[in-house]
């Protein structure tokens, strides 16, 4: 198997059928699960464990849209390098600053209905941006095959997901 998609006999695309992925994963796990190799030799047990581990890693990568996008970019020679390359378009940087300011403003509010409403509104805006980024990534990868441009959207999505978690944490703490 060359890649995760081939392991599960899935098309190499960002937009995938997650039910098909789930079924393919169960089928692969059914064939390679270590429990099926209890009476096998040590070498066969090791190979089964390696395949089961590979299947788990592949499934976790393809199940998560962000990880799937990163994987597809890397498969096509466009590594995300998020730890080394943090460049973003100016408009996205401005959006980040506005969201940070909005979150800081929410933190200053007293715990209560207005704080929760403000955090929920901010989270809705971030979620909408998340959905838009996923749609853009799908077009860049599946339609345009522009993996270099997709890398920028993937880095933006990484920030959006991290920020959404931060907002959700504040919301949970305020409820």
């Amino acid at each position: 198997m060359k890649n995760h998609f081939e392991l599960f006999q899935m098309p190499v695309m960002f937009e995938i059928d997650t039910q098909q992925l789930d079924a393919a994963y169960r089928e692969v796990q059914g064939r390679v699960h270590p429990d099926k190799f209890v009476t096998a030799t040590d070498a066969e047990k090791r190979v089964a464990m390696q395949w089961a581990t590979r299947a788990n890693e592949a499934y976790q990568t393809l199940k998560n849209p962000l990880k799937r996008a990163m994987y597809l970019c890397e498969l096509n020679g466009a590594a995300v390098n998020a730890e080394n390359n943090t460049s973003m378009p100016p408009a996205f940087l401005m959006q980040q600053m506005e969201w940070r300011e909005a979150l800081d403003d929410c933190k200053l509010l007293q715990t209560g209905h207005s704080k929760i409403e403000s955090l929920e509104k901010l989270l809705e805006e971030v979620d909408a941006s998340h959905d838009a980024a996923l749609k853009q990534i799908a077009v860049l990868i599946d339609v345009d095959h522009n993996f270099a441009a997709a890398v920028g959207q993937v880095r933006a999505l990484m920030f959006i997901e991290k920020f959404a978690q931060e907002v959700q944490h504040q919301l949970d703490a305020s409820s």
Side-chain angles (χ1 to χ4, degrees):
M1 299 289 143
K2 291 182 181 176
N3 64 53
H4 297 342
F5 294 95
E6 288 179 7
L7 177 64
F8 298 123
Q9 299 176 354
M10 303 276 300
V12 182
M13 298 179 65
F14 179 73
E15 290 287 331
I16 62 170
D17 180 338
T18 55
Q19 290 180 335
Q20 181 185 355
L21 174 63
D22 292 344
Y25 170 70
R26 286 190 301 275
E27 192 273 323
V28 169
Q29 277 293 29
R31 283 187 281 131
V32 300
H33 197 278
D35 290 349
K36 291 201 171 248
F37 294 85
V38 174
T39 60
T41 67
D42 286 346
E44 290 170 327
K45 288 178 184 177
R46 259 192 317 278
V47 169
M49 181 60 77
Q50 289 171 344
W51 274 105
T53 300
R54 178 154 189 252
N56 284 333
E57 289 171 1
Y59 178 72
Q60 294 304 319
T61 297
L62 297 184
K63 186 81 172 168
N64 180 297
L66 176 59
K67 290 179 183 179
R68 184 170 61 246
M70 291 173 73
Y71 182 71
L72 280 163
C73 288
E74 289 170 8
L75 271 181
N76 289 279
V80 175
N81 291 330
E83 53 283 338
N84 300 330
N85 186 350
T86 57
S87 65
M88 293 285 183
F92 186 75
L93 294 173
M94 288 301 294
Q95 180 65 66
Q96 287 183 43
M97 288 175 31
E98 289 172 15
W99 283 344
R100 284 267 165 230
E101 288 175 12
L103 182 58
D104 288 344
D105 290 347
C106 289
K107 288 177 183 178
L108 295 175
L109 295 172
Q110 297 298 318
T111 301
H113 187 67
S114 63
K115 182 174 188 171
I116 291 170
E117 277 184 353
S118 297
L119 287 166
E120 286 173 343
K121 182 180 177 202
L122 179 58
L123 189 57
E124 283 177 22
E125 184 179 330
V126 174
D127 286 345
S129 193
H130 181 272
D131 293 346
L134 285 175
K135 287 177 184 170
Q136 183 64 30
I137 288 169
V139 168
L140 289 168
I141 291 176
D142 292 346
V143 177
D144 299 343
H145 306 290
N146 187 344
F147 299 96
V151 163
Q153 283 296 315
V154 168
R155 283 197 309 267
L157 185 61
M158 291 170 73
F159 170 81
I160 292 167
E161 286 191 0
K162 184 177 179 195
F163 187 74
Q165 290 173 351
E166 203 174 320
V167 175
Q168 186 63 55
H169 176 72
Q170 287 295 318
L171 189 57
D172 291 346
S174 299
S175 297

